[in-house]
Amino acid sequence: MSENKHRIKAYLYENVFTKDNLSDFMAKPVSERTVSVSQICQSAVSRGRADISASAMEHASELFLEEMAYLLCEGYSVNTGYFTASAGIHGVFGSASETFSKDRHNVIFIFHQGEKLRVAIQDIEVDILGLATPASAILQVTDVKSGSVNDLLTPGRNLSIVGTQIKIMGNDPERGIYFIDTVAQTKTMVPAFDIVSNNPYELIVVIPSLPAGKYHLEVITRDGEDTLLKKSCTVIFDHILTVE
């Protein structure tokens, strides 16, 4: 896939997924900016990896992605070589005669890395930059209603936020949990009474009545591992979350 070596930078955080072992750490890559289809096409042209214009490549890519989505919705599985994708159904059926209900069940799409990406991994070098400072981080969010991880939001239902040192602490008026509209940049705060669980390693909140759109998740706290930090720390999740 690549003629050159690649480099990913990462910081170490306490490993909250193995709470029985308090002495180990996990690496979290330093997130580069998210690139769109258009920017990917422009990058391919600038690197000399495309023999057509960026606009032509973008048009063809959008046609491909649109058709792929259509076939996924028809129940086909997809294998591009770089990733595989298929539809799944989330939710419990109480009996053999129960039918699908959008109130109890959800269709989700499942993606896994393909063979070409597994080969490309061999060309990646990782630079560990040491312990992250501050150590607060959002590592994973799960939309409880849909089961979607790091992707969908269901307003009015619970969201599990797993991380390190994310307990909402301090008396600062701005402390709390926010959803930020990526277009309008408006911030919607989760009311204190909608914070179901407030722990250093997990927050469970009721998602506000957000309109359809794309959102950043932000946590502002002074959690300093059993002590208050001198000033508030702002943590922004590096995945964009979607209300459909």
Side-chain angles (χ1 to χ4, degrees):
M1 175 182 175
S2 173
E3 300 172 354
N4 304 307
K5 290 287 184 180
H6 305 284
R7 305 199 77 85
I8 291 177
K9 297 177 181 179
Y11 282 106
L12 295 180
Y13 294 85
E14 183 180 343
N15 190 350
V16 299
F17 296 102
T18 56
K19 293 181 181 179
D20 56 329
N21 184 350
L22 299 180
S23 62
D24 62 353
F25 299 86
M26 62 182 294
K28 184 175 183 290
V30 176
S31 179
E32 302 293 343
R33 65 188 179 93
T34 300
V35 293
S36 64
V37 171
S38 175
Q39 290 167 324
I40 292 171
C41 295
Q42 291 169 6
S43 174
V45 171
S46 66
R47 292 196 312 114
R49 302 295 295 174
D51 57 1
I52 56 176
S53 68
S55 59
M57 185 177 177
E58 181 181 356
H59 177 66
S61 298
E62 293 288 0
L63 289 176
F64 169 80
L65 293 171
E66 181 180 329
E67 192 63 23
M68 181 186 71
Y70 173 84
L71 293 172
L72 283 170
C73 291
E74 287 289 308
Y76 289 88
S77 294
V78 171
N79 185 350
T80 67
Y82 294 96
F83 63 84
T84 62
S86 60
I89 297 174
H90 182 268
V92 176
F93 290 79
S95 69
S97 60
E98 183 178 353
T99 58
F100 180 88
S101 167
K102 289 187 176 180
D103 292 330
R104 289 174 48 81
H105 313 110
N106 295 281
V107 175
I108 60 174
F109 293 108
I110 304 165
F111 291 79
H112 295 288
Q113 66 185 28
E115 181 60 30
K116 290 184 178 180
L117 279 182
R118 282 193 288 270
V119 171
I121 289 173
Q122 300 173 13
D123 294 327
I124 300 176
E125 300 291 340
V126 178
D127 295 329
I128 300 297
L129 304 178
L131 287 174
T133 303
S136 297
I138 302 171
L139 303 175
Q140 178 177 291
V141 304
T142 303
D143 182 70
V144 176
K145 170 64 167 59
S146 66
S148 173
V149 177
N150 301 340
D151 186 10
L152 299 180
L153 297 171
T154 305
R157 305 300 287 266
N158 285 351
L159 183 72
S160 168
I161 306 168
V162 175
T164 61
Q165 296 180 203
I166 56 174
K167 182 178 181 179
I168 304 304
M169 297 176 62
N171 296 320
D172 309 56
E174 77 276 13
R175 71 183 177 89
I177 303 157
Y178 298 85
F179 293 91
I180 306 173
D181 187 299
T182 60
V183 177
Q185 291 299 302
T186 53
K187 298 177 67 169
T188 302
M189 185 180 187
V190 176
F193 54 78
D194 277 341
I195 301 177
V196 180
S197 178
N198 184 23
N199 295 300
Y201 301 110
E202 183 181 31
L203 302 170
I204 298 178
V205 304
V206 178
I207 301 169
S209 298
L210 302 170
K214 305 287 186 181
Y215 294 87
H216 291 295
L217 173 65
E218 179 183 82
V219 172
I220 300 177
T221 181
R222 290 174 64 187
D223 186 357
E225 194 174 9
D226 299 325
T227 186
L228 282 177
L229 297 173
K230 291 183 178 180
K231 61 180 181 178
S232 293
C233 171
T234 299
V235 185
I236 299 178
F237 191 39
D238 54 11
H239 290 265
I240 294 176
L241 305 174
T242 303
V243 175
E244 296 183 331

